[in-house]
Amino acid sequence: MTSFEADIRPLFREKDRNAMLRHFDLWSADDVRRNAERIYGALDRGVMPCDGAWTAADKDLLRRWIDEGAQP
Ligand code: HEM
């Protein structure tokens, strides 16, 4: 089972968190869960982060975390 603290939070850099704080806190499991589909959608389309797309493996990990119920 994937967890936010162990698997997902480390994928978000401090610059990602700072860039997006006006919308949500990428270091908060609650915020990422609440905005999960928007966040996944931007990553999947490759429009975010603004300085380079995630790998397929990292996107798959986020997808699995969401599908497993977005555990803290
Ligand atoms: C993993 C990292 C990131 C994720 C998941 C992410 C996610 C998102 C999402 C979901 C939106 C759409 C917000 C909405 O629905 O209104 C957005 C907008 C935006 N993001 Fe990111 N972002 C990330 C990193 C960054 C970085 C590194 C930058 C560069 C400075 C950035 C700059 C922006 C900008 C300029 C917008 C336009 C919306 C606004 O700020 O009003 N993001 N991002």
Side-chain angles (χ1 to χ4, degrees), residues 2-47:
T2 55
S3 83
F4 186 78
E5 289 303 328
D7 304 301
I8 303 304
R9 182 173 166 152
L11 300 176
F12 297 122
R13 305 162 300 177
E14 188 165 14
K15 67 185 286 190
D16 297 324
R17 180 186 190 222
N18 291 340
M20 297 313 303
L21 264 181
R22 283 187 309 129
H23 296 276
F24 35 68
D25 183 352
L26 288 170
W27 286 3
S28 154
D30 281 344
D31 265 25
V32 176
R33 183 180 347 94
R34 271 194 293 269
N35 296 283
E37 294 302 343
R38 249 165 88 202
I39 289 169
Y40 178 80
L43 291 164
D44 193 39
R45 292 196 310 279
V47 298

